[in-house]
Amino acid sequence: MKLKTNREALLKGLQLASGVVERRQTLPVLANLLVVAEGETLSLTGTDLEVEVQVRITSELQIKQAGRATLPARKLMDIWRSLPEGAEVSIEVDGAKAVVRSGRSRFTLATLPAADFPSVEGGDALVEFDAQQPHLKRLIDQVGFSMAQQDVRYFLNGMLLEVDAEGVRTVATDGHRLAMCSLNRAQQGTASISAIVPRKGVAELARLISDSNELVRLSIGKGHLRAEQGEYALTTKLVDGKFPDYKKVIPANPDQILLGDRLALKHAFHRASILSNEKYRGVRLLLDKDELTIQANNPEQEEAEETLPVEYSGERIEIGFNVGYLQDILSVLNTETVRVAFTDANSSALIEGEGAEDAVFVVMPMRL
């Protein structure tokens, strides 16, 4: 295999394909990228057996000899990053060695047989639909922080993706908080389907999306999700499990309503959190007649108190929350005003941004 290109033509593709490669591998070939030069296209593929990212490059490329090989992902990425901007680069693979040349620099890398490189099985798609990249990005960003991490309830270590004739919905929860975002766009002729996308699949999908309005083609099969956008394609296995009934968690008609400035609340929670218990991160909220008082303390007998004006005319409520959960929600919301609704001091809080009701957040209270 012989080819010539420049640094910028492959930089983003290498970043995406090598990003999925884990540092510790069960198989040596999984530390490599599959590089295939054929016709006028160069493809780069990285996988960890759960998630696969494939990039196809056609521009600013000269393929002098077709071929297939696997090259060390991290080392190739580090070499590419270290080259100066605009550098011309050539890659030549001969047997078990690959030589990368640029100017007066030369790097010889060990390769492994392309035949040993595994692929993530896709299978037939049950549902296919298109989504604009900003919409898909919002569906992920609004809920991604609520996914569990290494929970024994493995089905929580991912994001629920629901598709039906009315639109697309994403949900994530770790058992203490829940986030849901909906895109109510009619998908005519779309069958209903639910899939749990694993945490890493969600993260790689988010990396794949840009701010352009170009469409992403999503295909959901029995055990996989595939996303294609331009020259990029991602295939991820799905979590085999049953997601909990999230609709039961969302408070039905909470009648104690607080309206407050999002940034003021975010900054107040941040200041109070400095003196909260480092392990439990609890803060106490006191609500009474257009005033919110936030209190925090720790085992060293240190205390913080913040008082700020809000719109609230309900009953006096004293309730505790994990301040980190509240900060996460206020960070992903982008509205000026936030709406927090309770039923009583022992109930979950329902949080929304005013004018952005497509995203809903629920936080369980904690005893202080």
Side-chain angles (χ1 to χ4, degrees), residues 99-129:
V99 179
V100 180
R101 290 188 176 89
S102 179
R104 295 189 175 185
S105 302
R106 180 173 64 86
F107 309 90
T108 302
L109 300 172
T111 69
L112 289 172
D116 295 344
F117 194 84
S119 64
V120 175
E121 294 297 328
D124 295 331
L126 301 175
V127 169
E128 293 185 329
F129 65 97

Side-chain angles (χ1 to χ4, degrees), residues 7-21 33 44 46 53 55 57 73-74 76-78 80-81 204 207-208 232:
R7 177 182 180 270
E8 280 61 41
L10 263 66
L11 184 60
K12 183 180 178 182
L14 275 173
Q15 288 174 331
L16 289 172
S18 62
V20 76
V21 176
L33 293 180
L44 308 170
V53 173
V55 183
I57 295 143
R74 300 287 177 189
L76 187 62
M77 185 70 251
D78 288 343
W80 224 262
R81 281 188 181 134
E204 293 301 324
R207 291 178 66 227
L208 201 70
Y232 309 115

Side-chain angles (χ1 to χ4, degrees), residues 147-158 173-176:
M147 291 185 291
Q149 298 188 50
Q150 298 179 330
D151 198 297
V152 292
R153 298 164 294 180
Y154 60 93
F155 47 83
L156 297 184
N157 300 320
T173 180
D174 61 6
H176 303 286

Side-chain angles (χ1 to χ4, degrees), residues 16-17 44-46 51-56 204-205 208 216-217 225-236:
L16 289 172
L44 308 170
T45 305
V51 182
E52 176 186 279
V53 173
Q54 184 181 66
V55 183
R56 295 179 299 278
E204 293 301 324
L205 182 57
L208 201 70
V216 180
R217 184 70 173 174
L225 170 102
R226 183 172 175 83
E228 297 178 77
Q229 194 283 309
E231 63 264 33
Y232 309 115
L234 175 144
T235 304
T236 176

